[in-house]
Amino acid sequence: MNKKIIFQTGSALISILLTALITFGFLFILGRDPVVIFGRIFSEVFGTGYGFAQTLFKTTPLIISGCAIAICFHAKLFNIGGEGQINAGAFVMALTATSFPGLPFLIILPLSILTGFIVSAVFGFIPAVIKVKKGVSEVITTIMLNFISLAMVNYFLISHFAVESTIRTTKIPENFFFTKLSDFIPSFHGSPLNITLFIALLLALIIYFTIYKTSIGYKLRAIGFNPVASVYMSVNVNKYTIVAFVLAAGMMSFVGLNYIFGYKGFYEYGFSANIGFTAIAVSLLARNNPIGIIFSAFLFGFLDYGGLAVNELVPKEIMLIFQGLVVLSILGVNKLTDNYLKINLERN
Amino acid sequence: MIPAIEFKNITKQFGNLKANDNVSFAIRKNSVHCILGENGAGKSTLMKILYGAYQPDSGKLFVDGKQQNFHTPHDAINAGVAMVWQHFMLIDDFSVLENVILGNEPISGIKIDFKTAQKKINDVITKFNLGLNPDDKVEKLSIAEQQKVELLKILYRKPSIIIFDEPTAVLSPVEVDEFFNIITKLKDSGNTIILITHKLREVIQIAERVTVLRQGKKVYEAEATEIDEDILGKEIVGDSSFEIASETKLETDGEKKVAILEKAGLSSGGYSKLNDINLVLRAGEISGICGVEGNGQNEIVDILLQLLSVENGTAELNYSSVSVVPDDRIKKGMISEYTIGENVITRKMGFEIALKAKLKKLSEILIKSYDIRTPDYFTPMGNLSGGNQQKAIVAREIENQSELIIFSHPTRGVDLKSSLFIHDEIIHVRNSGRAVLLVSSDLDELFKLSDRLIVLYNGQTVKEYEPLELKSRLKDAESFTVEVGKLMVGAGIE
């Protein structure tokens, strides 16, 4: 068992190394010194408190969305609709937080989380029901729902809720903001890194526990491994398909916490910056293991912030290429380690 | 005469396990040779060596007198050795013809020469009397017909040695006879046939020579004329525990009726699957359903599991819980990636927290009381041998304590010892007052276990033998077999 985890972690590390090598090659061809550039990235991220905090700030939403995607992946469901789910939920979350002046924070916060969760969950419920009832692939429906969700949010925002001549909602009261970590660690000063990070870590632990240690998790994974056998083992496949999608989509709304309560205080169109898609890569890299997702989210946060830090030296796109390559190489290397493990297990 | 195949001191080791231990024997040319042994006795490993999927650690393999070192199945095929697998490898959406020529398409110009292929295939079908239509889609064929397609695929490549891995496990008695006719024809046209099987009666019927493996070693070899079922049974199991279970049959009806199907009917995709099914399941009674596969057995099971509902007639399901040992253990019975304990947890209805210690405890109880052979409790079920997988599924379902337990082909592809064990367990379940439905195509099994026997044909219950009648009819098992066999194929129905 442990051997397996070591091998799988190893294969993730090999993929990252492989990708780094290819990226080195790219930079070399572009006529840049890869050592200088990567050195700069490392010193920015690990050398300064601010850089490290910024990286963690970028990591936070990726942990949340990565775990959400992982729930679906375990049931062999492909949720490509993260982006739409995040925006719909976060938008409503921000609206809720500003719609009841006078109510205390301790009521507003859970209320906002709840409404955000419900709205995001609806965007997961729809493709799940269409899949269960009519057998339509969730890949298609979730992609389409991204357009619908983003267009709806855009419409309601511009025509009703946006602050004049902006594309954002009104700001929540100052006392609603989450505590920033720079309050405790002075070197983080200037970074919006906030307690959402701990919420994200807690979520990862909860999802890990649910997936690997509870009968619900076993059922979710069972319908992914073998839906027919699941039926005969009296697992309600339709029910768990919907449960997986609703949980995953609902969880996507929590991405909004980091931005709305932790950083800006409002919802702004486009804030999610494709987190819903990056989450797929984050989850894949970690083989959908929520603990692993914490680390792979950190890698993507690192690349994201690192890319910004060396912006004047190389185009930021290099880091996007890196992200894409990581996914490709992890898929390839995983296949190799899987084959190796399979042969080894068979021999034993 | 040079033998078709000669194994000389073949040894193959996996870790500490000697799968084949110094095995030597020869297979005569143009003969039918049976290889017997329990699951894990080393038959599959030996065949995989012959088929090029494994290489022996030591020892030599001679085919037609020539020493061979097959590195891939491709090498074996080129040397004229072919294998018909127990699990079919067919593409459902393709026609028979397309499946057969796949990977070996005759070409004219840049397109496939279907005409030549069709002619070649039709020749083979006529020669061996396979009764297939090359244009039929595979998904529409019965299991027996799909098996013939597998065979056709191989015959198309003109092998001289054909290995069958438990070919009759999926066939009904009538189909078995038909299959044996094909074997005879194959032999008559000069082929050497190797059969791997668990069914002793068939061995005596068809084999010319028999080899028994036990724990990787060759323990017995004889001409078919010198053997009987008792001898073989003892050689296979290796101790004297081999005996047919004692008579334990009921003479009266079980008490409580837990399920009543009356004139039940059901159709799917425009075809009538069930019509006029009359079936009563009673607590403390084993109801056996016999019939050729595909005559409505699976639909009845699915109705009882409430996966399907009847369209005509009535289905009164009075039980509070139901368990099932499904007909296809890999597809329907288990999550291969899960351990035994994890399979159990998944099966449980309510919310549970499954920590390692709990899973360990759950599995160890089952492993111990059901004698499941596994390296350790956290081995995925997919890595266990077929018989042990089946035992684990049986264990899981029995431990569920449901009011009704359905056993669908509970010992298919399971070795003798495990089969006997599973039979005993089924009788225990019955004795504990629960209702049992036994679906099988193995008449011996049905006769041994059933208190009540229902014959199914074309979605109808054509005959029901009440407990007392069944018991007296079984005194003359031979003529009873003939009668039931006829009913199963629809003979004698007004």
Side-chain angles (χ1 to χ4, degrees), chain A residues 209 213-219 221-222 225-226 228-235 345-347, chain B residues 14 54 302 307 330-332 334-335 337-338 342-343 346-354 359:
Chain A
F209 188 80
K213 304 288 176 198
T214 68
S215 55
I216 292 177
Y218 279 113
K219 289 184 169 101
R221 286 157 64 217
F225 282 130
N226 188 344
V228 177
S230 301
V231 169
Y232 283 87
M233 288 163 73
S234 59
V235 175
L345 285 176
E346 197 178 316
R347 291 265 154 100
Chain B
F14 297 111
Y54 288 156
D302 285 354
L307 301 176
I330 293 168
K331 248 190 219 164
K332 297 183 185 170
M334 63 189 202
I335 312 293
E337 291 83 352
Y338 282 3
E342 289 172 339
N343 267 285
T346 310
R347 178 73 176 80
K348 294 229 164 133
M349 301 301 289
F351 175 80
E352 293 215 24
I353 291 174
L359 287 175

Side-chain angles (χ1 to χ4, degrees), chain B residues 71 78 150 185 239 458:
Chain B
H71 292 287
N78 285 340
E150 280 288 347
K185 281 216 170 80
D239 56 40
N458 203 14

Side-chain angles (χ1 to χ4, degrees), chain B residues 11 15 71 119 136 141 205 216 245 268 272 293 422 424 439 453 472:
Chain B
T11 296
H71 292 287
K119 199 184 159 299
D136 280 347
L141 303 181
Q205 197 179 337
S268 118
S272 162
E293 244 176 279
I422 291 173
D424 283 348
V439 178
L453 190 68
S472 72

Side-chain angles (χ1 to χ4, degrees), chain A residues 37-38 62 73 91 104 108 110 149 159 163 166 173-174 186 217 227 242 252 281 284 297 321 328:
Chain A
I37 286 165
F38 272 85
L62 289 174
F73 269 140
F91 176 55
I108 285 290
S149 161
S159 64
V163 174
T166 66
E174 279 306 318
I242 294 173
M252 287 288 185
L284 277 179
I321 293 174
L328 289 181

Side-chain angles (χ1 to χ4, degrees), chain B residues 159-415:
Chain B
S160 58
I161 298 158
I162 306 174
I163 312 163
F164 289 92
D165 183 14
E166 289 183 39
T168 59
V170 294
L171 302 180
S172 68
V174 187
E175 291 165 333
V176 169
D177 286 342
E178 206 180 326
F179 174 76
F180 284 168
N181 285 336
I182 294 172
I183 295 283
T184 313
K185 281 216 170 80
L186 286 171
K187 185 187 152 274
D188 289 347
S189 59
N191 292 294
T192 306
I193 314 289
I194 304 172
L195 281 180
I196 299 172
T197 181
H198 289 310
K199 297 189 184 170
L200 305 183
R201 216 173 39 173
E202 292 174 358
V203 174
I204 289 163
Q205 197 179 337
I206 191 89
E208 290 163 40
R209 197 169 169 78
V210 177
T211 302
V212 179
L213 299 181
R214 195 196 318 141
Q215 291 172 349
K217 293 193 177 88
K218 188 196 86 178
V219 291
Y220 184 73
E221 201 175 1
E223 290 297 310
T225 46
E226 302 164 5
I227 54 172
D228 61 29
E229 288 186 41
D230 278 349
I231 298 177
L232 284 182
K234 277 175 192 144
E235 290 298 341
I236 291 169
V237 178
D239 56 40
S240 50
S241 70
F242 174 75
E243 57 186 293
I244 302 293
S246 57
E247 281 289 330
T248 55
K249 284 192 190 305
L250 297 184
E251 295 191 343
T252 53
D253 287 359
E255 293 158 21
K256 191 184 153 210
K257 296 179 179 177
V258 298
I260 307 167
L261 298 188
E262 217 167 319
K263 297 199 161 147
L266 173 71
S267 60
S268 118
Y271 294 97
S272 162
K273 291 283 185 190
L274 293 183
N275 52 76
D276 201 16
I277 293 287
N278 295 296
L279 180 69
V280 181
L281 303 179
R282 293 172 175 84
E285 190 180 292
I286 300 174
S287 307
I289 290 188
C290 81
V292 177
E293 244 176 279
N295 274 281
Q297 292 93 327
N298 284 348
E299 284 76 11
I300 292 177
V301 170
D302 285 354
I303 287 171
L304 293 170
L305 294 173
Q306 288 172 293
L307 301 176
L308 291 174
S309 43
V310 294
E311 289 161 4
N312 313 311
T314 56
E316 212 179 295
L317 312 178
N318 301 325
Y319 42 83
S320 58
S321 55
V322 54
S323 291
V324 61
V325 176
D327 54 331
D328 185 333
R329 62 172 160 266
I330 293 168
K331 248 190 219 164
K332 297 183 185 170
M334 63 189 202
I335 312 293
S336 309
E337 291 83 352
Y338 282 3
T339 65
I340 294 171
E342 289 172 339
N343 267 285
V344 174
I345 285 281
T346 310
R347 178 73 176 80
K348 294 229 164 133
M349 301 301 289
F351 175 80
E352 293 215 24
I353 291 174
L355 295 171
K356 225 173 189 168
K358 182 169 189 177
L359 287 175
K360 188 174 169 187
K361 209 173 125 200
L362 262 177
S363 336
E364 277 175 348
I365 291 171
L366 295 189
I367 289 169
K368 215 171 163 192
S369 49
Y370 290 82
D371 188 31
I372 301 164
R373 307 276 166 83
T374 166
D376 38 47
Y377 76 94
F378 53 78
T379 301
M381 265 185 64
N383 291 9
L384 304 184
S385 74
N388 284 311
Q389 288 173 349
Q390 189 72 9
K391 278 200 258 183
I393 294 169
V394 167
R396 182 187 72 205
E397 296 302 319
I398 289 179
E399 290 298 314
N400 229 28
Q401 305 291 343
S402 300
E403 234 181 295
L404 167 66
I405 305 193
I406 302 167
F407 293 91
S408 193
H409 305 278
T411 59
R412 174 185 283 173
V414 172
D415 65 44

